[in-house]
Amino acid sequence: MDIYKTRYGEEWRIIPRQCPVDASGKSPEFQGDGFKVYKDSIRKEVKESAMTIIDENKDNLYFNYEPDGLTVRSILGVHKHIMLEDIVPDSVVQEIKSILGGEFYIHQSRVNVKTKGSGSGWTPHSDFETWHYDDGMEKMRCLTVMIPLDINRVENGCLEVIRGSHHHYFSDKYCGDFGHDDNFTDQKAGVVVDDACNMIADLCGSNWEPIELNVGDALIFDCNLLHRSLKNNSTYDRTNLFFVLNSVENKLKAPFSGGEPRPLEMATR
Ligand code: 6CS
Ligand code: FE
């Protein structure tokens, strides 16, 4: 049975989360908020080393572009070259294992390049909704670790979240089928519409809040946390590195869309 059925029918719905958030009960902040910031936990030179590795391996990486077709939006498949363990401290890795209830593997890794002036934003969404429909991720036993390679501020389009929204699942109405790259570039299916954001915000007693971060910080957030970010209107880039970590007990099935699986750089199988 598909407990998180989405992209069907004529109306969107909000249903309660069916899966535990924190498997061990040792991370109450993550359980309640759906995210946690680790201040000053990463080497400050992280951008230089990550971008050098990307440059050296650019022929083996997967590029997604902005709607202009020219500006890079995301560079996927970076974890074969940039090692999670070299960047994220062991104490954070251990907390992630405790939240996920054991070992994980990397479902997706990417650098989102939100170029100054031209980098566009990300509409409100839960990652899990896409990973469930497009990738066949059955349960919410997955989280993202985000490492800012540049300072993240409101003016350069930092991540914004609704605290506690991971307890509610947005199931979209059917809104057409789009190519995997197109929906990555400019999400159309699975976008949480304003009325649904407002309803979830009311349920949570919170509303959109920016997560401003410095280089050296790290953020973890639940796969079902509602998030968005605005266009980069500043004079400086916003580059962030992401590792998406999924429980080994939650490996992908056939996509719930019934369609073809996405490229392996978008969803490891
Ligand atoms: O399609 C995906 O996998 C991605 N899309 C969004 C909007 N967020 C996270 C994920 O990388
Ligand atoms: Fe996302």
Side-chain angles (χ1 to χ4, degrees), residues 110 122 125-127 131 159 187 221 227 242:
R110 65 190 192 278
W122 297 80
H125 64 277
S126 116
D127 295 332
W131 297 336
L159 191 77
Q187 192 175 356
F221 63 96
H227 59 285
F242 298 77

Side-chain angles (χ1 to χ4, degrees), residues 157-208:
C158 68
L159 191 77
E160 298 178 25
V161 305
I162 297 182
R163 193 182 286 266
S165 56
H166 60 309
H167 294 298
H168 311 280
Y169 178 62
F170 172 79
S171 158
D172 206 355
K173 64 179 183 198
Y174 179 72
C175 38
D177 284 315
F178 303 92
H180 295 143
D181 272 286
D182 289 350
N183 211 47
F184 206 104
T185 292
D186 182 14
Q187 192 175 356
K188 292 177 195 78
V191 176
V192 187
V193 291
D194 290 348
D195 283 351
C197 289
N198 294 340
M199 200 181 277
I200 291 175
D202 282 351
L203 287 166
C204 297
S206 58
N207 216 322
W208 289 110

Side-chain angles (χ1 to χ4, degrees), residues 246-267:
N246 189 30
S247 162
V248 293
E249 289 165 37
N250 195 35
K251 286 207 174 134
L252 303 186
K253 303 196 158 168
F256 288 94
S257 65
E260 287 297 307
R262 297 202 296 173
L264 294 176
E265 291 86 354
M266 287 187 183

